[in-house]
Amino acid sequence: MYDFAYHRPDNLDDAANILKINPEATVLAGGMTLIPTLKLRLANPSDVVDLSAIDSLNVLSVAGEKVSVGAMTTHSDVSTSKELMETIPGLSRLAKGIGDPHVRHRGTIGGSVANNDPAADYPAAVLALNASVNTISRTINADEFFTGQFATVLEEHEIITSIDFPIPRRSAYEKFSNPASRYAIVGVMVADTEAGVRVAVTGAGPSVFRVAKMEEALSNDFSADAIAGITLSADDLNSDIHASSEYRAHLVSVMAMRAVNSALTQ
Amino acid sequence: MPTVSLTINGKKVVADVEGRTLLVQLLREGQRLTGTHVGCDTSQCGACVVHVNGKAVKSCTMLALQADDSEVETIESIANEGELHPMQAAFKEHHGLQCGFCTPGMVMAAIDMVNRIPNLDEETVRHELEGNFCRCTGYHNIVQAILAGSKAMQS
């Protein structure tokens, strides 16, 4: 690892200032992606700004029709939150399946969403649940947030502060995970929301995406049978040593049907 | 050089570290607490698991400076004046190890597991071990050891 200057500010203004005066600085959330990246010397930041001492980023609250999850909330805290189990059990269950227990103790929702790994779980929840991503300067709707592989509309050094999830009527996430890393080979989140049924797929393509045909079918009939005949073209899907694009296309249908069944039994 | 101040196994420690110093390096190289192992060095194998503020974490994937002001517990701290911790005793009794390299991380992960989940069953233990690799045992005896250690810790 190349060396860097480490900062742990206790408020957002200080964090933003450090980032502003150090153009080569980077933000550290839970570190479950950044630290392995630094160890491989794939990044060489001049400064690392750790957000863990900023208490306002570590709050999970239910207010009216939405759940607000602070950016530094760990996967473990999301998966064990009573409020969340009562309001969006599909999201608790998703968090419980990320990585392993030790990773869940450190990894955060803000870090995962900002990184937009093509095989990460949270982007599927953000997109399917029609969440809003709050940053230090604005609020971004899920449909606008994810722009491509490891890419989002976040400006350089724009810090995510929290993510607001409107409470759906029902939702569930099912993934076919890589047995070693637990990353999603394919993961599908299905949510029956005020804005209609939304289906978001992670792991299969370069970035998380919605499946309009499934959403339409499920809006008419929220059952696994309604989407049984719907398959994706393999053309734009990922292909690697773990799974071919054709296999991923098949898994999208299977995981989507499982997610619908799971949402119906919650 | 930055300074990190933390409690390791009940002892106050103040040490000069680099920004890039990992917690596991501080423990092994700085404090000579070599019970915590480095296996894969890529956040997967769990040989480096220690407790930070009571939670199991991979110390190869945490900067020493991130542990500032924290309480860190390593495998060296859990025996009580020469008497094995009930989880260590269960690993010995059930032959939950062969070469022993993964064992410190396994035991620390197992204690964390019991702290979080009071009524462990075999399926839960197997899922909870997703972050700890053993290349010798095939896991069977590790699972038996954790189930027995869990009972012993709660009796």
Side-chain angles (χ1 to χ4, degrees):
Chain A
M1 206 184 319
Y2 298 112
D3 201 17
F4 48 77
Y6 171 89
H7 310 265
R8 183 155 63 165
D10 62 9
N11 65 79
L12 273 173
D13 287 346
D14 286 357
N17 276 334
I18 298 164
L19 290 165
K20 201 171 163 188
I21 53 181
N22 297 290
E24 298 297 316
T26 195
V27 173
L28 172 64
M32 294 298 98
T33 299
L34 180 62
I35 293 175
T37 305
L38 293 172
K39 285 164 77 171
L40 290 167
R41 295 193 170 182
L42 294 173
N44 184 14
S46 64
D47 297 72
V48 167
V49 184
D50 180 356
L51 303 181
S52 66
I54 305 174
D55 293 339
S56 63
L57 299 182
N58 197 3
V59 179
L60 194 156
S61 64
V62 181
E65 300 300 299
K66 66 174 187 185
V67 180
S68 182
V69 184
M72 289 295 285
T73 311
T74 62
H75 311 326
S76 159
D77 286 345
V78 169
S79 70
T80 55
S81 157
K82 261 207 176 123
E83 293 111 304
L84 211 53
M85 274 185 230
E86 283 161 11
T87 51
I88 320 182
L91 186 57
S92 317
R93 226 180 123 212
L94 175 147
K96 201 167 183 233
I98 300 173
D100 60 55
H102 326 310
V103 166
R104 292 194 288 273
H105 280 149
R106 299 289 307 164
T108 67
I109 189 167
S112 168
V113 170
N115 192 46
N116 193 21
D117 189 300
D121 301 296
Y122 269 131
V126 169
L127 193 57
L129 292 164
N130 196 22
S132 307
V133 180
N134 299 309
T135 77
I136 198 158
S137 54
R138 57 180 168 154
T139 296
I140 305 160
N141 183 264
D143 282 317
E144 276 85 57
F145 186 81
F146 303 103
T147 55
Q149 192 163 6
F150 293 106
T152 68
V153 292
L154 289 173
E155 301 283 340
E156 191 74 25
H157 294 167
E158 184 175 1
I159 299 170
I160 297 177
T161 53
S162 64
I163 297 168
D164 292 341
F165 293 94
I167 298 170
R169 282 190 277 271
R170 52 201 165 184
S171 70
Y173 177 71
E174 291 288 339
K175 77 167 158 175
F176 192 84
S177 52
N178 179 310
S181 70
R182 305 288 158 191
Y183 268 108
I185 289 177
V186 167
V188 180
M189 183 98 183
V190 173
D192 184 4
T193 74
E194 288 296 321
V197 176
R198 295 168 65 100
V199 177
V201 177
T202 189
S207 173
V208 63
F209 61 89
R210 289 171 62 188
V211 186
K213 276 188 288 184
M214 288 185 178
E215 294 181 351
E216 217 171 282
L218 290 169
S219 294
N220 292 328
D221 172 16
F222 195 83
S223 74
D225 283 346
I227 52 170
I230 301 178
T231 47
L232 258 60
S233 156
D235 287 352
D236 299 320
L237 301 187
N238 300 338
S239 187
D240 55 31
I241 57 164
H242 306 299
S244 66
S245 52
E246 290 80 9
Y247 185 48
R248 279 189 162 89
H250 174 71
L251 282 175
V252 171
S253 303
V254 175
M255 292 302 124
M257 288 197 286
R258 282 189 193 170
V260 171
N261 280 332
S262 172
L264 285 169
T265 52
Q266 265 168 17
Chain B
M1 194 175 265
T3 301
V4 62
S5 166
L6 72 172
T7 306
I8 300 175
N9 299 338
K11 195 179 92 182
K12 266 267 160 219
V13 171
V14 179
D16 291 336
V17 292
E18 291 184 303
R20 63 181 166 179
T21 304
L22 297 167
L23 177 59
V24 73
Q25 292 172 316
L26 172 69
L27 295 171
R28 287 180 54 85
E29 296 161 26
Q31 301 298 307
R32 298 284 169 197
L33 292 168
T34 52
T36 302
H37 291 169
V38 177
C40 68
D41 203 24
T42 55
S43 330
Q44 301 189 51
C45 80
C48 67
V49 168
V50 301
H51 295 182
V52 175
N53 295 330
K55 289 179 179 170
V57 305
K58 290 177 168 170
S59 63
C60 83
T61 312
M62 186 169 170
L63 303 173
L65 285 164
Q66 284 180 288
D68 197 45
D69 285 335
S70 299
E71 308 252 345
V72 177
E73 296 283 338
T74 72
I75 189 75
E76 283 89 348
S77 75
I78 62 170
N80 185 12
E81 293 179 7
E83 190 188 329
L84 293 180
H85 183 282
M87 190 59 78
Q88 288 174 306
F91 268 71
K92 184 181 172 194
E93 173 67 23
H94 291 268
H95 202 69
L97 61 144
Q98 286 180 30
C99 86
F101 193 85
C102 72
T103 313
M106 285 286 177
V107 170
M108 296 309 281
I111 293 170
D112 173 72
M113 208 184 291
V114 177
N115 290 341
R116 285 183 291 114
I117 309 165
N119 298 307
L120 284 170
D121 56 35
E122 180 177 336
E123 195 189 343
T124 309
V125 172
R126 288 185 183 275
H127 273 296
E128 286 285 322
L129 281 177
E130 280 166 1
N132 293 80
F133 296 173
C134 170
R135 301 288 78 156
C136 308
T137 63
Y139 299 95
H140 186 73
N141 286 355
I142 293 174
V143 174
Q144 301 309 313
I146 293 173
L147 289 170
S150 167
K151 279 200 184 119
M153 277 173 70
Q154 288 170 63
S155 63

